[in-house]
Amino acid sequence: MLANCKITRSLVDTGRSVNVIYKDTLDKIKLPDLQIKPSKQPLMGFNGSLQNVVGFVRLLNYVGGVMFDTKFTIIDSPDMYNIILITPWIHAMRAVPSTYH
């Protein structure tokens, strides 16, 4: 859960340097009093192109009985995932990522 909303289509990416939430996802969960810190810093995308960063936001995550405050970089571009989480987040949540085989 992210900010009291169930989020599907999450990716755990051990190669990324920041946690990402897409602007469309942020708009859909409609959080009141959302404090976005603007940014003009570009971010390298999966395909090697630069993506514009809208800003940064801190949101509470709830996974497996653990609550954790996470800083997300907001990207305004379409993607098949709603959020992308990085390795330090996995360790902070004491999570073990797994996929269906």
Side-chain angles (χ1 to χ4, degrees):
M1 301 225 12
L2 181 65
N4 290 325
C5 296
K6 184 177 179 181
I7 300 293
T8 58
R9 296 188 331 232
S10 300
L11 172 68
V12 175
D13 185 353
T14 57
R16 282 257 180 170
S17 58
V18 295
N19 294 305
V20 172
I21 187 165
Y22 290 90
K23 188 173 181 312
D24 289 346
T25 304
L26 206 53
D27 292 342
K28 287 177 189 173
I29 59 177
K30 299 177 184 174
L31 294 173
D33 303 324
L34 191 62
Q35 295 184 5
I36 296 174
K37 294 181 181 174
S39 175
K40 297 289 183 192
Q41 176 182 356
L43 184 68
M44 185 70 67
F46 284 121
N47 61 2
S49 66
L50 290 178
Q51 295 181 326
N52 291 326
V53 172
V54 173
F56 303 97
V57 65
R58 295 193 80 79
L59 299 171
L60 287 178
N61 290 302
Y62 181 76
V63 177
V66 178
M67 182 141 336
F68 193 75
D69 183 38
T70 304
K71 180 180 178 182
F72 285 94
T73 300
I74 306 165
I75 303 293
D76 190 8
S77 69
D79 199 279
M80 63 186 293
Y81 299 103
N82 290 314
I83 60 174
I84 299 175
L85 301 164
I86 58 175
T87 303
W89 177 89
I90 297 166
H91 294 299
M93 293 298 287
R94 297 184 180 185
V96 177
S98 179
T99 58
Y100 180 75
H101 299 297

